[in-house]
Each structure stands twice: as structure tokens, then as C-alpha cells.
């Protein structure tokens, strides 16, 4: 496992409460090669943050193995912390220090020499677009700027690996895009290994490799492109006038593999596009449900994600309720 | 255990900036010191003067009037009201109009001549300090009064030269009270109160400090850096130590210049032993904060030590009279040791040769508590 930037094998993390033992991370294994961007995706409470924290040694490990740059998460906790940049999920820089004081603080605790600080801090601040805000209190920055400051602070010691726990949570779309382009530059220029937890599927598409985690278990671990090809069939999209009957109608139909909802649209996975499109249209017409013409669309991570989670739910046979979209909660810690 | 100077100074600088930037906190901190010092000092007087007294004088002769005058002259009693019967006077106590009744039976002067005079003093037992003061004062006054009468009658019978009344008694006890010649309660109480205030502030602030990082979420980000445990612990203690020393300086200054309690000993020694005391309180506070998950929990736990400090350390109530278990609990409170140090240096002016054992206990206390904190506080979130 040592040649990988980050690697886990059968990683287990249990939380003990008074009444029960909750398995937040259940035998998760993956490897990340140096220089890659790895996205750990999954619904809220799937175990993404817990996995990240255990890898960093911020939480104790119940079982299994986890290493960063060859260092064991538990035994070599400080060696890891010296070489890794981390952004916690919630904003957690000291809010009553200014931007500059925060940068200096994190540089000092990572033992960056004063000469290096003089060069690197202005560089990072301009890279993060914070040069004009050096004397502003961190707590008074906007959501996007806070995240950029956190990124700048986590990079001040030139880490080989950064681990970002939902770095764009609560950030507007423009800032999100900016944040990701910063990450892209870093990877290109410095060969940084990036580990990112995210519930956003568009962010997952930017990763070289994606791990889908659900209820503490790793469901798939592959490139975004090959994850999408794992979903059988073709995808048809249409908007019906009434929702529930249309879904009911499609669900039982021959050749329909899966039905999902997407906003005011219905997504139907079918084995063959032309014949099933006609079949769906005629059934809807027969029921008097007005609709637009079903179009074939490309399978995105979102659909793949829902489909994979649904199959996981069905195979585990634990769920008696209807499958739920990824926005709603899965297993909660 | 690794200690890196750059990391430690960065952490201390961060904590100091955070404290200095919180104006309200500093004002509250120093303001609380100020208020506590005044409230405790002015309220801590345990001698009660001018107790309102009902007088039932059934004798009405020169001797009974002399007795009443003697009691009033002692400053401990005021003859507030004259009444006719003991029952009336008792009712006055029931109603809270007076704290004491003086009942002088008929034929007081005649009884004195026979040598069998007595008078009755009734005290309001629901008021502890009034009883204690009144009881002592009444006994003392009666004793003096009696002595004086004895001397006078001796003189009259020619046994003694009768130059003036009660001129010379065979034995005169001349007691000298050291360190506090006027028996001023405030003198006795002030050095202890300074310790009490410091202990309260230090424990409470240290208890909150780590919890606040946890509540803000900054603890997670700080733990993700290579900061070592001892560095984190020290960085929490050192800025608060500075703040507590500021409060100490302020308290001693007020004690000397406002309350007029002269500082007898070495300020330098007092400073260093106070550093030990404050550090032990801060360590105790950090111990609380390793357990407490919220500020409320931390503050409530800190309150318990304030209570122990007030009641079990000898601040107001002597430890000698306490049962074993309260004494043992008192042994766990740093103030117990600092009280002897503070009173010793401040009032008596004694040196380390008398105080070394208390100082040693404080050093051990710090080491043990910091050790427990380091065992309890893992550099992890769970």
C-alpha cells in the first residue's frame, strides 16, 4: 500500500453510543495514486467525513488499515499532519484572526521558515484572490472567501496531499467554479494529490476517480466515465402533467429497467429507445396523461449515482420504503 | 513529548490576539475581579457593631444605668427601645425589631452589694454573627463591669489604695494581637479573597477555553496540523496566566491603597507563588474542559470549585473544625494552600522557609493535573 498517496484496506470505524454501536465506515478500501484527484461521493451521513477524519488520524480507527504517503494514520499521525493540507467541512479557522494572521499562524505551526513565508503567503493570497483582504477578520469573510482562505492556509506548507471535506458546501455556484479551477491549477502545476468529499455530482465529474460510499460501504470505486457505462440501458426524459400515475405506469412496463424523478421530469431507463419511447407515449395517451415527447439524454453521474444506490438498497433487502433520491438522507451517523 | 518553539509561540500569539481582540471578555474579566474584591471585602466583616437592643430595666438605680451605659459605650449595642416586661422584649426579637434584649431584675444595686447580682441577655439566635458578637461583647462588658465593682468595693473597705475607681487590679492580662492589631476583619479576609477571585477566574476561563475551540470547530482544524499536545496545553495556559497576574496586581494594589491593608512580605516571592497557584487552577480548568462538551457544562463544573473554595478551604470557616471528608475535599482545592501563602506573605511577611511545603504541594499539583490532562486529552476528536 505504500506507493499510493492515500490507501485504505478494510477500514472500519464504529461509534459507540449508550444503546448501540453504529458502523459509520464499513470495510472501505481504496487507493489513490499520487497526482490524482479522488472524489469520495455519497449522500449526507454516508460516512465521507468520518473516513476522511480517520485517514488523517483525527478519529481513532476501529479496524483495518489506512495510510497517507505510506504513514499509518494512527501511529504516524504527526508525520501525516506535517505533509497534508486539510479543510474541515464546517468553517473552522479562528474567526477572530485576520486573513494574514491566519496565514501566518498556519505557516508557523507547520514550521515554514520566515523567508519562505515572505514569499509564499503573498503568492497564495493572490492565488486565492484575497490580497485585498489581508486585514479582514476571517469570520467576516463571505462563504466563498472563507473556503478560499481555508484552501490557502492548507497549502501554506506545500503539502503533497490535500484532503478537502465538502469544500464548497454553502458556496454560491460562481465561487464553486472558481474554487475548482484553483484546484485544477494546483494539480497541474504542483502535481498535488487531491482527496475531496462532495455530495455534488458535477464536482464528482471533475475527479480522475470516484468512490461512491453509501451507509459506510464503498459501492463503486472507478473513473466517472466507466461508472456511467455501468448503468445498463438508455435514458429517456419527459415531463408529464400528472406525476405519480405516470411513474406508476412506467415502473411496471416491459423493457423499463428503472424509473427516477428529476425535478418536474421523469427519467426512465429502457433497453431500446425507439420501441420503448412509442410504448410509453401510447400508454400515457391511453391514460389521458398529457406529456412532451420523451428525449434520449446522456447518463450523468447523478443518474448513475441514484441507480447504483437503489440497486444497493434492493440487494441489501433492508429497505422496505421506496428508494430515495440522493438529496435526502441515507444512513445517519 | 515534543516542544517546538516556533509552533508554541505561534499558538501563544494566536491565543493572545484572540483574547486581546475580545474587548468584552477583558472588561468582564477585570470588572469581575474588581466587583468581587469590593463585594467580598465589604461584606466579609463578621463583627457586628451597634446591635439594636431592647432594655427592660426593672431596677432603675445608678448601677443598672451604669451597666446599660457600659454596654452602649462598648459600641456593640444600641439601647434602641425601653420596655416594661421581658415578654414584650422577647416579642421585639420575634418581630425583628431588635437583635438583643437586656433584662435587669429589680434590686440590681442591692444585689451587687450582696455580691449576687445578675442580668439576663437574650440574643437573636437566628442571626449567627449577631449572636457571636453580642455574646462576646456582653460577657466582656459584664466581666469588666464586675471587676470594676470589685475593685471599688475593695477600695472602699480599705484593702487597696482608693485613688480612683478600679485603679489597680492584682492581674492585668495584656493580650497583643500580632499582624492585625486592630482585629480588623478586612485585613484577615483580603489576602484570602484575592486567592478566591483568582481561583474562580482561572478555573472558569481555562474550562471554557478548550470548549470554545470545540464549539467553534477550530479545534478540528488545529488538530489537523502537527501541533503537539503539550504545545496546545501550554498555549492555553500562558496567556490566561498573564491575564490572571494582571488581575492579581490590580487586587493587591487595591488592597494596599484602597482598603489600606499593608503588604508586609516580599512582593517578588508573592508573585512567584501566585504564578504556581494560578497555574494549578488553570490546569484544573483545562481538566474540566477535557470532559465538558459545552460551555454550560464547563461553567457549571467550575462553579463547584468556587463553592468548595468558599466553604472548604478556610477562607471564611476554619478547616480545623470540619469533619474529615470536607477537609479532604478542601485538600484538593488549590486555594487551601494559597490561603496560607497569601496570608503568610501579605499579612505576616514570612518567607519561603515557612511556606516551602505549600509551594511544593502546588508544584506537585500542577504536575499531576497536567499529566492527567495530557492522558485524557487525545489529539483526536473522539
Amino acid at each position: 500500500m505504500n506507493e499510493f498517496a492515500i490507501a485504505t484496506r478494510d477500514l472500519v470505524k464504529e461509534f459507540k453510543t449508550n444503546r448501540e454501536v453504529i458502523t459509520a465506515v464499513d470495510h472501505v478500501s481504496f487507493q489513490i495514486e499520487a497526482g490524482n484527484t479522488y472524489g469520495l461521493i455519497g449522500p449526507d451521513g454516508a460516512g465521507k467525513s468520518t473516513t476522511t477524519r480517520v485517514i488523517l488520524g483525527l478519529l481513532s480507527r476501529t479496524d483495518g488499515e489506512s495510510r497517507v504517503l505510506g504513514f499509518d494514520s494512527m501511529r504516524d499521525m504527526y508525520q501525516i499532519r506535517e505533509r497534508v493540507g486539510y479543510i474541515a467541512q464546517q468553517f473552522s479557522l479562528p474567526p477572530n484572526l485576520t486573513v494574514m494572521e491566519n496565514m501566518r499562524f498556519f505557516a508557523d505551526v507547520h514550521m515554514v521558515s520566515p523567508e519562505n513565508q515572505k514569499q509564499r503567503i503573498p503568492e497564495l493570497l493572490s492565488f486565492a484572490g484575497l490580497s485585498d483582504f489581508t486585514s479582514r477578520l476571517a469570520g467576516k469573510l463571505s462563504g466563498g472567501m472563507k473556503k478560499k482562505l481555508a484552501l490557502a492556509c492548507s497549502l501554506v506548507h506545500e503539502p503533497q496531499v490535500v484532503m478537502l471535506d465538502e469544500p464548497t458546501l454553502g458556496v454560491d455556484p460562481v465561487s464553486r467554479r472558481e474554487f475548482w479551477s484553483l484546484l485544477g491549477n494546483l494539480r497541474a502545476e504542483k502535481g498535488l494529490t487531491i482527496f475531496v468529499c462532495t455530495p455534488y455530482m458535477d464536482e464528482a465529474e471533475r475527479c480522475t476517480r470516484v468512490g461512491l460510499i453509501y451507509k459506510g460501504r464503498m459501492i463503486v470505486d472507478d473513473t466517472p466515465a466507466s461508472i456511467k457505462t455501468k448503468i445498463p440501458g438508455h435514458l429517456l426524459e419527459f415531463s408529464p402533467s400528472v406525476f405519480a400515475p405516470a411513474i406508476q405506469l412506467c415502473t411496471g412496463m416491459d423493457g423499463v429497467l428503472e424509473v427516477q424523478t428529476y425535478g418536474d421530469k421523469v427519467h426512465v431507463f429502457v433497453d431500446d429507445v425507439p420501441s420503448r419511447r412509442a410504448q410509453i407515449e401510447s400508454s400515457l395517451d391511453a391514460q389521458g396523461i398529457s406529456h412532451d415527447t420523451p428525449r434520449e439524454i446522456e447518463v450523468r453521474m447523478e443518474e448513475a449515482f441514484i441507480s447504483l444506490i437503489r440497486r444497493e438498497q434492493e440487494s441489501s433487502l433492508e429497505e422496505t420504503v421506496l428508494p430515495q433520491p440522493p438529496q435526502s438522507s441515507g444512513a445517519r451517523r | 513529548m515534543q516542544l517546538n518553539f516556533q509552533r508554541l509561540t505561534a499558538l501563544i500569539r494566536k491565543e493572545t490576539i484572540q483574547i486581546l481582540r475580545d474587548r468584552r471578555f477583558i472588561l468582564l474579566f477585570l470588572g469581575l475581579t474588581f466587583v468581587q474584591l469590593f463585594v467580598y471585602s465589604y461584606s466579609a466583616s463578621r463583627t457586628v457593631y451597634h446591635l439594636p437592643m431592647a432594655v427592660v430595666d426593672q431596677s432603675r438605680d445608678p448601677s443598672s444605668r451604669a451597666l446599660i451605659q457600659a454596654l452602649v459605650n462598648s459600641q456593640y449595642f444600641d439601647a434602641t427601645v425601653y420596655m416594661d416586661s421581658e415578654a414584650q422584649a422577647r416579642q421585639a426579637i420575634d418581630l425583628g425589631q431588635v437583635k438583643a434584649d437586656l433584662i435587669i431584675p429589680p434590686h440590681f444595686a442591692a444585689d451587687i452589694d450582696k455580691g449576687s447580682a445578675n442580668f439576663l441577655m437574650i440574643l437573636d439566635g437566628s442571626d449567627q454573627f449577631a449572636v457571636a458578637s453580642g455574646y462576646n461583647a456582653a460577657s466582656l462588658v459584664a466581666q469588666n463591669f464586675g471587676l470594676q465593682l470589685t475593685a471599688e468595693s475593695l477600695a472602699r473597705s480599705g484593702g487597696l489604695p482608693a485613688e480612683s475607681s478600679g485603679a489597680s487590679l492584682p492581674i492585668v492580662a495584656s493580650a497583643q494581637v500580632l499582624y492585625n492589631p486592630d482585629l480588623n476583619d478586612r485585613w484577615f479576609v483580603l489576602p484570602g479573597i484575592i486567592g478566591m477571585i483568582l481561583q474562580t477566574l482561572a478555573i472558569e476561563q481555562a474550562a471554557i477555553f478548550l470548549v470554545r475551540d470545540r464549539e467553534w470547530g477550530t479545534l478540528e482544524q488545529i488538530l489537523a496540523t502537527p501541533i503537539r499536545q503539550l504545545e496546545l496545553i501550554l498555549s492555553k495556559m500562558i496567556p490566561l496566566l498573564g491575564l490572571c497576574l494582571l488581575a492579581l496586581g490590580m487586587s493587591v494594589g487595591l488592597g494596599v491603597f484602597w482598603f489600606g491593608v499593608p503588604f508586609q512580605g516580599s512582593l517578588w516571592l508573592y508573585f512567584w507563588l501566585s504564578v504556581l497557584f494560578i497555574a494549578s487552577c488553570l490546569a484544573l480548568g483545562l481538566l474540566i474542559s477535557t470532559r465538558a462538551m459545552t460551555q454550560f457544562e464547563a461553567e457549571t463544573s467550575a462553579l463547584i470549585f468556587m463553592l468548595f473554595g468558599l466553604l472548604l478551604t478556610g477562607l471564611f470557616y476554619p478547616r480545623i473544625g470540619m469533619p474529615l471528608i470536607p477537609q479532604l475535599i478542601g485538600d484538593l482545592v488549590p486555594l487551601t494552600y494559597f490561603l496560607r501563602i497569601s496570608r503568610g506573605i501579605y499579612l505576616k511577611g514570612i518567607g519561603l522557609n515557612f511556606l516551602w511545603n505549600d509551594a511544593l504541594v502546588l508544584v506537585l499539583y500542577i504536575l499531576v493535573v497536567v499529566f492527567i490532562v495530557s492522558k485524557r486529552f487525545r489529539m483526536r476528536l473522539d
Side-chain angles (χ1 to χ4, degrees), chain B residues 59-74:
Chain B
S59 188
R60 293 182 196 271
D61 53 37
S63 296
S64 70
R65 278 195 293 277
L67 174 67
I68 296 165
Q69 201 54 50
L71 284 166
V72 171
N73 286 347
S74 74

Side-chain angles (χ1 to χ4, degrees), chain B residues 15 19 158 166 171 177 223 239 244 260 309 331-332 355 360 362 366 371:
Chain B
E15 298 292 343
I19 288 176
I171 301 172
V177 178
L223 288 182
C244 287
D331 285 341
L332 294 175
L355 296 169
L360 188 69
L362 285 179
I366 297 168
F371 178 76

Side-chain angles (χ1 to χ4, degrees), chain A residues 144-164:
Chain A
M145 289 206 282
K146 278 179 183 168
K147 291 295 186 181
K148 286 180 205 159
L149 175 61
L151 182 65
C153 287
S154 73
L155 294 171
V156 74
H157 57 297
E158 296 205 303
Q160 293 155 268
V161 176
V162 286
M163 300 187 77
L164 316 172

Side-chain angles (χ1 to χ4, degrees), chain A residues 140-282:
Chain A
K140 296 248 159 75
L141 294 172
S142 72
M145 289 206 282
K146 278 179 183 168
K147 291 295 186 181
K148 286 180 205 159
L149 175 61
L151 182 65
C153 287
S154 73
L155 294 171
V156 74
H157 57 297
E158 296 205 303
Q160 293 155 268
V161 176
V162 286
M163 300 187 77
L164 316 172
D165 189 358
E166 304 200 13
T168 58
L169 191 74
V171 171
D172 68 83
V174 178
S175 300
R176 264 174 67 186
R177 194 173 286 268
E178 282 172 9
F179 190 90
W180 272 94
S181 79
L182 291 181
L183 287 181
N185 296 345
L186 280 174
R187 191 170 56 157
E189 288 165 23
K190 316 241 177 189
L192 196 65
T193 308
I194 300 170
F195 174 94
V196 60
C197 298
T198 179
Y200 298 119
M201 293 308 131
D202 57 328
E203 293 185 351
E205 306 240 19
R206 295 169 181 267
C207 299
T208 31
R209 207 177 164 87
V210 162
L212 172 56
I213 190 168
Y214 179 69
K215 288 191 169 178
R217 280 196 297 269
M218 187 69 98
I219 297 175
V220 264
D221 173 20
D222 214 330
T223 61
S226 69
I227 286 178
K228 282 183 270 188
T229 61
K230 283 189 180 169
I231 310 304
H234 304 272
L235 184 56
L236 285 176
E237 179 188 80
F238 66 94
S239 306
S241 56
V242 279
F243 225 58
I247 292 166
Q248 223 172 0
L249 195 69
C250 296
T251 307
M253 211 177 271
D254 276 350
V256 168
L257 307 167
E258 191 173 338
V259 182
Q260 296 179 2
T261 58
Y262 185 80
D264 63 342
K265 298 184 177 67
V266 176
H267 283 180
V268 186
F269 286 92
V270 293
D271 52 2
D272 177 59
V273 172
S275 62
R276 300 305 173 194
R277 180 190 285 153
Q279 184 187 329
I280 289 169
E281 279 195 287
S282 60

